[in-house]
């Protein structure tokens, strides 16, 4: 993504709350709802291998974008849009 956009994102992003990391899930939605996953190939926050493992566990329809960063919706918006459109077509 453009350096000015990355700089703004870095300056304005809030730290993740402890609550978000410790909250217990009551049910895994991916067991009942069709899942989709976009693997961000250059994600330095969630390793792509971990993303792939989670996608496989959820039996997700998966798209990999090799050059995508963790902020994939900003760095590769077309790929995200394409996956969302695919999901909406699949559930019709």
């Amino acid at each position: 993504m453009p350096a000015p956009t990355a700089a703004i994102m870095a300056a304005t992003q809030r730290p993740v709350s402890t609550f978000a990391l410790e909250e217990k899930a009551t049910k895994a939605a991916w067991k009942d709802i069709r899942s989709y996953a976009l693997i961000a190939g250059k994600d330095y926050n969630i390793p792509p291998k971990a993303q792939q493992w989670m996608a496989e566990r959820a039996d997700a329809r998966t798209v990999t974008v090799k050059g995508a960063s963790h902020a994939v919706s900003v760095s590769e918006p077309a790929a995200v849009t394409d996956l969302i459109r695919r999901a909406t077509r699949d559930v019709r």
Side-chain angles (χ1 to χ4, degrees):
M1 76 183 69
T5 302
I8 290 169
M9 291 173 67
T12 59
Q13 183 176 7
R14 298 181 330 187
V16 67
S17 75
T18 304
F19 179 75
L21 298 174
E22 295 176 350
E23 183 179 17
K24 301 289 184 203
T26 58
K27 186 176 180 185
W30 54 263
K31 290 184 177 183
D32 300 316
I33 300 170
R34 183 177 294 164
S35 298
Y36 294 80
L38 192 152
I39 310 300
K42 293 221 175 197
D43 190 332
Y44 299 121
N45 190 6
I46 303 171
K49 285 187 180 186
Q51 294 175 50
Q52 186 66 44
W53 176 82
M54 289 183 277
E56 288 172 3
R57 180 178 68 169
D59 193 27
R61 284 93 181 137
T62 305
V63 172
T64 300
V65 182
K66 293 182 184 210
S69 71
H70 183 70
V72 67
S73 60
V74 177
S75 67
E76 299 287 344
V80 174
T81 301
D82 289 346
L83 185 59
I84 292 168
R85 286 184 174 152
R86 176 181 168 194
T88 60
R89 284 191 306 270
D90 288 353
V91 297
R92 289 184 185 167

